[in-house]
Amino acid sequence: MKIKARFSRFYFAFHSTCINFAAMFKNIMLVALGGAVGSVARYLVSRALNGTLLAAFPLGTMTANVLGCFVIGLVCGMADGDGAPVGPDLKLLLTVGLCGGFTTFSTFMNETLALARGGEALAPALYVGASVALGLLAVVGGYQLVKLI
């Protein structure tokens, strides 16, 4: 009986670990897939917009950040409440994965530093202020748009 009891505990621990690993692996794959798509989309947006208007201003990065804020607002709005059309897996894919790969905060900070090193105080302040204000408006807009639909 002791051997069976010990084996049962071992089996339960092993089985629980495998189930937890499988769920974690699924989540990792969702984030990786979304991140890959988001990163490529960010590259394409930046490539299309940088250097077109105000050549020294990182318009592509700011556009990616604002669009990402809007998308994350839409997704979180659709995942909010009972009977939400966006479940936890899709929310993970789109927020942590897609938006995480698409939005570019580290690039944003690096470009702010580059603007600041240019010797002007107005350009980095305008860039940070506009990005934060437009990003916040985009998140609120996305969230509110979902509530209207």
Side-chain angles (χ1 to χ4, degrees):
M1 187 71 167
K2 281 185 174 181
I3 293 174
K4 188 175 182 181
R6 286 186 182 172
F7 180 75
S8 277
R9 280 183 274 178
F10 171 76
Y11 175 78
F12 178 74
F14 178 75
H15 185 69
S16 300
T17 302
C18 289
I19 289 172
N20 289 339
F21 177 76
M24 178 64 83
F25 186 74
K26 179 189 77 168
N27 289 345
I28 289 169
M29 290 294 99
L30 288 170
V31 170
L33 176 64
V37 171
S39 295
V40 170
R42 178 186 69 224
Y43 169 75
L44 294 173
V45 166
S46 291
R47 178 107 183 180
L49 294 178
N50 281 348
T52 56
L53 252 151
L54 304 169
F57 197 77
L59 185 62
T61 301
M62 190 167 101
T63 301
N65 285 335
V66 172
L67 280 174
C69 289
F70 183 72
V71 169
I72 210 166
L74 286 173
V75 172
C76 288
M78 289 190 288
D80 192 27
D82 294 334
V86 172
D89 288 345
L90 185 56
K91 183 180 179 186
L92 182 68
L93 172 84
L94 295 174
T95 58
V96 177
L98 182 81
C99 289
F102 186 67
T103 59
T104 52
F105 196 75
S106 58
T107 303
F108 166 65
M109 287 288 96
N110 191 48
E111 289 173 340
T112 301
L113 177 62
L115 288 172
R117 285 185 171 171
E120 289 186 30
L122 184 60
L126 178 64
Y127 182 52
V128 169
S131 294
V132 170
L134 291 171
L136 181 58
L137 286 172
V139 169
V140 170
Y143 195 89
Q144 293 303 319
L145 180 64
V146 167
K147 296 305 174 189
L148 292 174
I149 298 174

